[in-house]
Amino acid sequence: MSHYVASMVIAGLAPATIDQAIACILSRHELAHQPKPNTKPARHALRGYKRRLLDDGWRQRKAPPILPEQLHAMVAALPRTVAGMRDQFILVVGWWMMARRSELVAFNDVDLRFVKEGLEVYVASSKTDQEARGTVCPLPYGQWADTCPVRVTQQWLEVLASRGARAAVLRDVDRNGHFRDRLTAQSIDLRVKAAAKTAGLDNPGSYSAHSLRAGGASAAAAGRSMLAIARHGRWVETSPVVHGYVRAADMWRDNPMRGLGV
């Protein structure tokens, strides 16, 4: 595997891409019930590559998180059209459930269930659920109607039902408001970027579907445990990604230099 990593380094691929390739190889071995290859030499080579890049001034680009004030701005800027209502569902539900784009596009109407406490979203499979056991993500009512996942979902399902659309929840919409095929994962990124641009956010092209996932986790990190966030967002409980969101929230909230009067 170290030779494979070396070839990707020579090709100039991003460290995150190489890391993902290693993870995919491990996953395929596990699914095939084969012994996992030794990844230590490959990981060592990847760390060295990353250090060289950092020394040269490289910094990993991350999609900025969509925080509550930005979510409100993006939703408020959407047109009151069928496509706009669909995009409102993408933004609001994606943010509240810290969704991956693959999870969003896989939704069918039977995966959304209203209960007294709010909305239960069934996630048939996810990145950390390779055996597709499925899990339920509970979404409570929000304070504001336009960004409440329960009320926004009710509204969108009514639109789908009124037009006889069944199964796929997220579909392409033509200029006449007619439904087409199920959205692709890539189209979720495009809808988020378009909403960021319409809302006048800085550098709208830097936003992506991951901005919803990161934004929900970042907002929750201000007062919720890392374990609760990991479970809600379907991360492994020891995920360093979740730890990063909590650390980012804490570095200002618990800053030891705050209020020193200097």
Side-chain angles (χ1 to χ4, degrees):
M1 186 182 291
S2 57
H3 294 294
Y4 178 49
V5 169
S7 69
M8 289 188 284
V9 168
I10 293 172
L13 298 183
T17 302
I18 299 174
D19 189 57
Q20 186 177 39
I22 295 173
C24 287
I25 292 172
L26 291 175
S27 176
R28 296 306 301 175
H29 276 75
E30 183 176 357
L31 289 173
H33 303 290
Q34 296 296 319
K36 291 184 180 181
N38 179 14
T39 62
K40 286 185 178 180
R43 297 285 187 189
H44 180 75
L46 179 57
R47 284 195 298 271
Y49 175 51
K50 190 179 294 186
R51 280 195 296 269
R52 291 198 303 273
L53 289 177
L54 290 172
D55 289 343
D56 290 339
W58 172 86
R59 295 295 181 270
Q60 184 174 352
R61 291 182 297 176
K62 296 182 179 180
I66 294 173
L67 300 177
E69 61 189 50
Q70 295 162 322
L71 178 65
H72 281 283
M74 293 169 74
V75 168
L78 292 173
R80 299 310 298 172
T81 61
V82 173
M85 295 170 72
R86 176 206 58 197
D87 291 353
Q88 182 180 13
F89 176 90
I90 291 173
L91 294 174
V92 173
V93 174
W95 191 89
W96 278 83
M97 69 174 290
M98 306 175 195
R100 296 180 174 89
R101 61 183 190 172
S102 60
E103 295 170 348
L104 286 171
V105 297
F107 284 154
N108 291 316
D109 48 11
V110 295
D111 297 326
L112 306 171
R113 176 172 174 263
F114 298 101
V115 295
K116 180 179 66 175
E117 295 82 1
L119 173 68
E120 292 183 349
V121 181
Y122 178 70
V123 182
S125 65
S126 64
K127 186 177 179 181
T128 53
D129 180 22
Q130 295 295 327
E131 296 183 9
R133 294 189 180 94
T135 187
V136 172
C137 182
L139 305 181
Y141 283 91
Q143 183 177 358
W144 309 103
D146 286 349
T147 52
C148 169
V150 184
R151 284 169 281 190
V152 167
T153 298
Q154 289 172 331
Q155 174 182 271
W156 180 237
L157 290 183
E158 288 172 2
V159 172
L160 291 172
S162 70
R163 294 164 181 257
R166 301 296 304 274
V169 172
L170 290 176
R171 299 167 177 266
D172 192 16
V173 179
D174 66 20
R175 64 181 62 187
N176 296 315
H178 298 141
F179 289 123
R180 300 301 184 192
D181 296 333
R182 187 188 294 266
L183 287 183
T184 63
Q186 291 76 15
S187 61
I188 299 294
D189 282 330
L190 296 177
R191 301 322 309 152
V192 173
K193 292 179 189 296
K197 182 177 181 179
T198 303
L201 301 187
D202 293 336
N203 195 14
S206 65
Y207 289 87
S208 69
H210 189 74
S211 297
L212 298 171
R213 183 164 168 79
S218 297
R224 303 295 185 271
S225 72
M226 191 168 75
L227 178 58
I229 296 169
R231 287 176 176 172
H232 186 83
R234 297 158 307 286
W235 280 282
V236 295
E237 295 180 357
T238 57
S239 171
V241 175
V242 180
H243 187 271
Y245 293 137
V246 174
R247 186 170 62 247
D250 286 346
M251 72 178 182
W252 288 110
R253 182 184 59 193
D254 298 331
N255 194 306
M257 307 306 288
R258 184 187 296 277
L260 294 183
V262 177

PDB file of all heavy atoms in Angstrom, residues 202-233:
ATOM      1  N   ASP A 202     -20.045  35.917   2.158  1.00  0.00           N
ATOM      2  CA  ASP A 202     -18.705  36.077   1.609  1.00  0.00           C
ATOM      3  C   ASP A 202     -18.212  34.760   1.016  1.00  0.00           C
ATOM      4  O   ASP A 202     -18.398  33.687   1.609  1.00  0.00           O
ATOM      5  CB  ASP A 202     -17.724  36.538   2.699  1.00  0.00           C
ATOM      6  CG  ASP A 202     -18.026  37.951   3.191  1.00  0.00           C
ATOM      7  OD1 ASP A 202     -18.650  38.717   2.416  1.00  0.00           O
ATOM      8  OD2 ASP A 202     -17.653  38.278   4.331  1.00  0.00           O
ATOM      9  N   ASN A 203     -17.558  34.852  -0.128  1.00  0.00           N
ATOM     10  CA  ASN A 203     -16.967  33.694  -0.791  1.00  0.00           C
ATOM     11  C   ASN A 203     -17.956  32.523  -0.875  1.00  0.00           C
ATOM     12  O   ASN A 203     -17.694  31.431  -0.350  1.00  0.00           O
ATOM     13  CB  ASN A 203     -15.702  33.252  -0.055  1.00  0.00           C
ATOM     14  CG  ASN A 203     -14.851  32.294  -0.871  1.00  0.00           C
ATOM     15  OD1 ASN A 203     -15.046  32.145  -2.080  1.00  0.00           O
ATOM     16  ND2 ASN A 203     -13.921  31.624  -0.214  1.00  0.00           N
ATOM     17  N   PRO A 204     -19.099  32.727  -1.526  1.00  0.00           N
ATOM     18  CA  PRO A 204     -20.135  31.686  -1.555  1.00  0.00           C
ATOM     19  C   PRO A 204     -19.681  30.376  -2.182  1.00  0.00           C
ATOM     20  O   PRO A 204     -20.199  29.306  -1.843  1.00  0.00           O
ATOM     21  CB  PRO A 204     -21.255  32.331  -2.379  1.00  0.00           C
ATOM     22  CG  PRO A 204     -20.583  33.378  -3.196  1.00  0.00           C
ATOM     23  CD  PRO A 204     -19.475  33.901  -2.322  1.00  0.00           C
ATOM     24  N   GLY A 205     -18.699  30.434  -3.098  1.00  0.00           N
ATOM     25  CA  GLY A 205     -18.221  29.217  -3.727  1.00  0.00           C
ATOM     26  C   GLY A 205     -17.513  28.265  -2.786  1.00  0.00           C
ATOM     27  O   GLY A 205     -17.313  27.096  -3.117  1.00  0.00           O
ATOM     28  N   SER A 206     -17.127  28.756  -1.607  1.00  0.00           N
ATOM     29  CA  SER A 206     -16.422  27.905  -0.649  1.00  0.00           C
ATOM     30  C   SER A 206     -17.381  27.017   0.150  1.00  0.00           C
ATOM     31  O   SER A 206     -16.956  26.072   0.809  1.00  0.00           O
ATOM     32  CB  SER A 206     -15.608  28.758   0.329  1.00  0.00           C
ATOM     33  OG  SER A 206     -16.455  29.566   1.137  1.00  0.00           O
ATOM     34  N   TYR A 207     -18.686  27.320   0.079  1.00  0.00           N
ATOM     35  CA  TYR A 207     -19.670  26.533   0.832  1.00  0.00           C
ATOM     36  C   TYR A 207     -20.028  25.263   0.067  1.00  0.00           C
ATOM     37  O   TYR A 207     -19.970  25.210  -1.159  1.00  0.00           O
ATOM     38  CB  TYR A 207     -20.924  27.361   1.096  1.00  0.00           C
ATOM     39  CG  TYR A 207     -20.708  28.461   2.104  1.00  0.00           C
ATOM     40  CD1 TYR A 207     -20.241  29.702   1.714  1.00  0.00           C
ATOM     41  CD2 TYR A 207     -20.945  28.245   3.457  1.00  0.00           C
ATOM     42  CE1 TYR A 207     -20.008  30.714   2.635  1.00  0.00           C
ATOM     43  CE2 TYR A 207     -20.728  29.251   4.389  1.00  0.00           C
ATOM     44  CZ  TYR A 207     -20.259  30.482   3.974  1.00  0.00           C
ATOM     45  OH  TYR A 207     -20.034  31.471   4.894  1.00  0.00           O
ATOM     46  N   SER A 208     -20.409  24.255   0.819  1.00  0.00           N
ATOM     47  CA  SER A 208     -20.793  22.981   0.213  1.00  0.00           C
ATOM     48  C   SER A 208     -21.783  22.290   1.140  1.00  0.00           C
ATOM     49  O   SER A 208     -22.141  22.820   2.200  1.00  0.00           O
ATOM     50  CB  SER A 208     -19.565  22.088   0.013  1.00  0.00           C
ATOM     51  OG  SER A 208     -19.059  21.642   1.262  1.00  0.00           O
ATOM     52  N   ALA A 209     -22.209  21.102   0.739  1.00  0.00           N
ATOM     53  CA  ALA A 209     -23.112  20.337   1.590  1.00  0.00           C
ATOM     54  C   ALA A 209     -22.495  20.097   2.965  1.00  0.00           C
ATOM     55  O   ALA A 209     -23.198  20.066   3.982  1.00  0.00           O
ATOM     56  CB  ALA A 209     -23.453  19.005   0.922  1.00  0.00           C
ATOM     57  N   HIS A 210     -21.174  19.940   3.009  1.00  0.00           N
ATOM     58  CA  HIS A 210     -20.518  19.704   4.299  1.00  0.00           C
ATOM     59  C   HIS A 210     -20.648  20.906   5.228  1.00  0.00           C
ATOM     60  O   HIS A 210     -20.536  20.759   6.460  1.00  0.00           O
ATOM     61  CB  HIS A 210     -19.043  19.368   4.101  1.00  0.00           C
ATOM     62  CG  HIS A 210     -18.365  18.903   5.349  1.00  0.00           C
ATOM     63  ND1 HIS A 210     -18.573  17.652   5.896  1.00  0.00           N
ATOM     64  CD2 HIS A 210     -17.514  19.541   6.198  1.00  0.00           C
ATOM     65  CE1 HIS A 210     -17.877  17.537   7.005  1.00  0.00           C
ATOM     66  NE2 HIS A 210     -17.223  18.664   7.220  1.00  0.00           N
ATOM     67  N   SER A 211     -20.890  22.087   4.681  1.00  0.00           N
ATOM     68  CA  SER A 211     -21.075  23.278   5.507  1.00  0.00           C
ATOM     69  C   SER A 211     -22.309  23.131   6.407  1.00  0.00           C
ATOM     70  O   SER A 211     -22.347  23.675   7.513  1.00  0.00           O
ATOM     71  CB  SER A 211     -21.229  24.520   4.632  1.00  0.00           C
ATOM     72  OG  SER A 211     -20.069  24.757   3.869  1.00  0.00           O
ATOM     73  N   LEU A 212     -23.321  22.414   5.927  1.00  0.00           N
ATOM     74  CA  LEU A 212     -24.510  22.152   6.746  1.00  0.00           C
ATOM     75  C   LEU A 212     -24.149  21.225   7.905  1.00  0.00           C
ATOM     76  O   LEU A 212     -24.510  21.474   9.056  1.00  0.00           O
ATOM     77  CB  LEU A 212     -25.607  21.520   5.894  1.00  0.00           C
ATOM     78  CG  LEU A 212     -26.152  22.353   4.737  1.00  0.00           C
ATOM     79  CD1 LEU A 212     -27.076  21.505   3.867  1.00  0.00           C
ATOM     80  CD2 LEU A 212     -26.891  23.577   5.261  1.00  0.00           C
ATOM     81  N   ARG A 213     -23.437  20.168   7.593  1.00  0.00           N
ATOM     82  CA  ARG A 213     -23.029  19.194   8.614  1.00  0.00           C
ATOM     83  C   ARG A 213     -22.116  19.845   9.639  1.00  0.00           C
ATOM     84  O   ARG A 213     -22.302  19.684  10.851  1.00  0.00           O
ATOM     85  CB  ARG A 213     -22.324  18.040   7.905  1.00  0.00           C
ATOM     86  CG  ARG A 213     -21.886  16.885   8.784  1.00  0.00           C
ATOM     87  CD  ARG A 213     -21.579  15.699   7.885  1.00  0.00           C
ATOM     88  NE  ARG A 213     -20.881  14.616   8.566  1.00  0.00           N
ATOM     89  CZ  ARG A 213     -21.445  13.721   9.367  1.00  0.00           C
ATOM     90  NH1 ARG A 213     -22.734  13.790   9.622  1.00  0.00           N
ATOM     91  NH2 ARG A 213     -20.743  12.749   9.918  1.00  0.00           N
ATOM     92  N   ALA A 214     -21.137  20.605   9.152  1.00  0.00           N
ATOM     93  CA  ALA A 214     -20.201  21.268  10.055  1.00  0.00           C
ATOM     94  C   ALA A 214     -20.895  22.354  10.864  1.00  0.00           C
ATOM     95  O   ALA A 214     -20.579  22.567  12.038  1.00  0.00           O
ATOM     96  CB  ALA A 214     -19.050  21.872   9.253  1.00  0.00           C
ATOM     97  N   GLY A 215     -21.851  23.054  10.248  1.00  0.00           N
ATOM     98  CA  GLY A 215     -22.546  24.128  10.943  1.00  0.00           C
ATOM     99  C   GLY A 215     -23.413  23.630  12.078  1.00  0.00           C
ATOM    100  O   GLY A 215     -23.404  24.185  13.182  1.00  0.00           O
ATOM    101  N   GLY A 216     -24.163  22.561  11.830  1.00  0.00           N
ATOM    102  CA  GLY A 216     -24.982  21.995  12.891  1.00  0.00           C
ATOM    103  C   GLY A 216     -24.143  21.502  14.051  1.00  0.00           C
ATOM    104  O   GLY A 216     -24.456  21.735  15.219  1.00  0.00           O
ATOM    105  N   ALA A 217     -23.030  20.828  13.723  1.00  0.00           N
ATOM    106  CA  ALA A 217     -22.141  20.316  14.771  1.00  0.00           C
ATOM    107  C   ALA A 217     -21.469  21.443  15.532  1.00  0.00           C
ATOM    108  O   ALA A 217     -21.333  21.387  16.761  1.00  0.00           O
ATOM    109  CB  ALA A 217     -21.089  19.395  14.161  1.00  0.00           C
ATOM    110  N   SER A 218     -21.058  22.496  14.825  1.00  0.00           N
ATOM    111  CA  SER A 218     -20.390  23.630  15.477  1.00  0.00           C
ATOM    112  C   SER A 218     -21.342  24.355  16.425  1.00  0.00           C
ATOM    113  O   SER A 218     -20.954  24.766  17.522  1.00  0.00           O
ATOM    114  CB  SER A 218     -19.856  24.605  14.424  1.00  0.00           C
ATOM    115  OG  SER A 218     -18.872  23.990  13.625  1.00  0.00           O
ATOM    116  N   ALA A 219     -22.592  24.528  15.994  1.00  0.00           N
ATOM    117  CA  ALA A 219     -23.573  25.190  16.850  1.00  0.00           C
ATOM    118  C   ALA A 219     -23.856  24.354  18.090  1.00  0.00           C
ATOM    119  O   ALA A 219     -23.958  24.872  19.202  1.00  0.00           O
ATOM    120  CB  ALA A 219     -24.859  25.443  16.065  1.00  0.00           C
ATOM    121  N   ALA A 220     -23.962  23.041  17.913  1.00  0.00           N
ATOM    122  CA  ALA A 220     -24.228  22.155  19.047  1.00  0.00           C
ATOM    123  C   ALA A 220     -23.045  22.073  19.988  1.00  0.00           C
ATOM    124  O   ALA A 220     -23.215  21.856  21.199  1.00  0.00           O
ATOM    125  CB  ALA A 220     -24.594  20.760  18.547  1.00  0.00           C
ATOM    126  N   ALA A 221     -21.834  22.262  19.464  1.00  0.00           N
ATOM    127  CA  ALA A 221     -20.625  22.136  20.279  1.00  0.00           C
ATOM    128  C   ALA A 221     -20.547  23.165  21.385  1.00  0.00           C
ATOM    129  O   ALA A 221     -19.812  22.984  22.350  1.00  0.00           O
ATOM    130  CB  ALA A 221     -19.384  22.243  19.393  1.00  0.00           C
ATOM    131  N   ALA A 222     -21.321  24.238  21.264  1.00  0.00           N
ATOM    132  CA  ALA A 222     -21.285  25.282  22.287  1.00  0.00           C
ATOM    133  C   ALA A 222     -21.935  24.854  23.592  1.00  0.00           C
ATOM    134  O   ALA A 222     -21.744  25.512  24.611  1.00  0.00           O
ATOM    135  CB  ALA A 222     -21.979  26.543  21.758  1.00  0.00           C
ATOM    136  N   GLY A 223     -22.679  23.759  23.590  1.00  0.00           N
ATOM    137  CA  GLY A 223     -23.323  23.378  24.839  1.00  0.00           C
ATOM    138  C   GLY A 223     -23.659  21.909  24.975  1.00  0.00           C
ATOM    139  O   GLY A 223     -24.297  21.507  25.944  1.00  0.00           O
ATOM    140  N   ARG A 224     -23.265  21.084  24.009  1.00  0.00           N
ATOM    141  CA  ARG A 224     -23.597  19.662  24.052  1.00  0.00           C
ATOM    142  C   ARG A 224     -22.326  18.828  24.125  1.00  0.00           C
ATOM    143  O   ARG A 224     -21.257  19.268  23.734  1.00  0.00           O
ATOM    144  CB  ARG A 224     -24.403  19.259  22.816  1.00  0.00           C
ATOM    145  CG  ARG A 224     -25.683  20.053  22.610  1.00  0.00           C
ATOM    146  CD  ARG A 224     -26.689  19.817  23.738  1.00  0.00           C
ATOM    147  NE  ARG A 224     -27.951  20.483  23.471  1.00  0.00           N
ATOM    148  CZ  ARG A 224     -28.236  21.724  23.831  1.00  0.00           C
ATOM    149  NH1 ARG A 224     -27.314  22.449  24.469  1.00  0.00           N
ATOM    150  NH2 ARG A 224     -29.415  22.253  23.571  1.00  0.00           N
ATOM    151  N   SER A 225     -22.452  17.613  24.622  1.00  0.00           N
ATOM    152  CA  SER A 225     -21.281  16.754  24.766  1.00  0.00           C
ATOM    153  C   SER A 225     -20.821  16.242  23.409  1.00  0.00           C
ATOM    154  O   SER A 225     -21.604  16.138  22.456  1.00  0.00           O
ATOM    155  CB  SER A 225     -21.605  15.563  25.668  1.00  0.00           C
ATOM    156  OG  SER A 225     -22.460  14.649  25.013  1.00  0.00           O
ATOM    157  N   MET A 226     -19.549  15.927  23.329  1.00  0.00           N
ATOM    158  CA  MET A 226     -18.984  15.404  22.092  1.00  0.00           C
ATOM    159  C   MET A 226     -19.648  14.082  21.725  1.00  0.00           C
ATOM    160  O   MET A 226     -19.899  13.811  20.539  1.00  0.00           O
ATOM    161  CB  MET A 226     -17.474  15.220  22.247  1.00  0.00           C
ATOM    162  CG  MET A 226     -16.760  14.924  20.940  1.00  0.00           C
ATOM    163  SD  MET A 226     -14.964  15.057  21.071  1.00  0.00           S
ATOM    164  CE  MET A 226     -14.612  13.543  21.965  1.00  0.00           C
ATOM    165  N   LEU A 227     -19.971  13.266  22.718  1.00  0.00           N
ATOM    166  CA  LEU A 227     -20.609  11.980  22.469  1.00  0.00           C
ATOM    167  C   LEU A 227     -21.998  12.176  21.856  1.00  0.00           C
ATOM    168  O   LEU A 227     -22.365  11.488  20.894  1.00  0.00           O
ATOM    169  CB  LEU A 227     -20.725  11.190  23.766  1.00  0.00           C
ATOM    170  CG  LEU A 227     -21.420   9.820  23.675  1.00  0.00           C
ATOM    171  CD1 LEU A 227     -20.689   8.927  22.682  1.00  0.00           C
ATOM    172  CD2 LEU A 227     -21.494   9.166  25.047  1.00  0.00           C
ATOM    173  N   ALA A 228     -22.763  13.122  22.383  1.00  0.00           N
ATOM    174  CA  ALA A 228     -24.104  13.380  21.867  1.00  0.00           C
ATOM    175  C   ALA A 228     -24.054  13.875  20.425  1.00  0.00           C
ATOM    176  O   ALA A 228     -24.870  13.481  19.588  1.00  0.00           O
ATOM    177  CB  ALA A 228     -24.825  14.402  22.748  1.00  0.00           C
ATOM    178  N   ILE A 229     -23.085  14.742  20.119  1.00  0.00           N
ATOM    179  CA  ILE A 229     -22.937  15.269  18.766  1.00  0.00           C
ATOM    180  C   ILE A 229     -22.548  14.144  17.808  1.00  0.00           C
ATOM    181  O   ILE A 229     -23.091  14.033  16.703  1.00  0.00           O
ATOM    182  CB  ILE A 229     -21.879  16.387  18.732  1.00  0.00           C
ATOM    183  CG1 ILE A 229     -22.342  17.576  19.586  1.00  0.00           C
ATOM    184  CG2 ILE A 229     -21.613  16.844  17.307  1.00  0.00           C
ATOM    185  CD1 ILE A 229     -21.264  18.610  19.822  1.00  0.00           C
ATOM    186  N   ALA A 230     -21.611  13.297  18.226  1.00  0.00           N
ATOM    187  CA  ALA A 230     -21.153  12.194  17.373  1.00  0.00           C
ATOM    188  C   ALA A 230     -22.308  11.248  17.057  1.00  0.00           C
ATOM    189  O   ALA A 230     -22.476  10.817  15.907  1.00  0.00           O
ATOM    190  CB  ALA A 230     -20.020  11.439  18.059  1.00  0.00           C
ATOM    191  N   ARG A 231     -23.111  10.934  18.049  1.00  0.00           N
ATOM    192  CA  ARG A 231     -24.234  10.021  17.822  1.00  0.00           C
ATOM    193  C   ARG A 231     -25.274  10.651  16.892  1.00  0.00           C
ATOM    194  O   ARG A 231     -25.791   9.995  15.994  1.00  0.00           O
ATOM    195  CB  ARG A 231     -24.873   9.654  19.158  1.00  0.00           C
ATOM    196  CG  ARG A 231     -24.027   8.699  19.987  1.00  0.00           C
ATOM    197  CD  ARG A 231     -24.660   8.436  21.336  1.00  0.00           C
ATOM    198  NE  ARG A 231     -23.906   7.437  22.102  1.00  0.00           N
ATOM    199  CZ  ARG A 231     -24.152   7.128  23.361  1.00  0.00           C
ATOM    200  NH1 ARG A 231     -25.134   7.752  24.022  1.00  0.00           N
ATOM    201  NH2 ARG A 231     -23.428   6.214  23.975  1.00  0.00           N
ATOM    202  N   HIS A 232     -25.567  11.920  17.121  1.00  0.00           N
ATOM    203  CA  HIS A 232     -26.585  12.584  16.312  1.00  0.00           C
ATOM    204  C   HIS A 232     -26.139  12.705  14.855  1.00  0.00           C
ATOM    205  O   HIS A 232     -26.943  12.517  13.933  1.00  0.00           O
ATOM    206  CB  HIS A 232     -26.879  13.982  16.873  1.00  0.00           C
ATOM    207  CG  HIS A 232     -28.011  14.672  16.190  1.00  0.00           C
ATOM    208  ND1 HIS A 232     -29.332  14.446  16.534  1.00  0.00           N
ATOM    209  CD2 HIS A 232     -28.044  15.581  15.173  1.00  0.00           C
ATOM    210  CE1 HIS A 232     -30.121  15.182  15.762  1.00  0.00           C
ATOM    211  NE2 HIS A 232     -29.358  15.881  14.927  1.00  0.00           N
ATOM    212  N   GLY A 233     -24.854  13.021  14.645  1.00  0.00           N
ATOM    213  CA  GLY A 233     -24.345  13.206  13.296  1.00  0.00           C
ATOM    214  C   GLY A 233     -23.808  11.951  12.648  1.00  0.00           C
ATOM    215  O   GLY A 233     -23.260  12.008  11.542  1.00  0.00           O
TER     216      GLY A 233
END
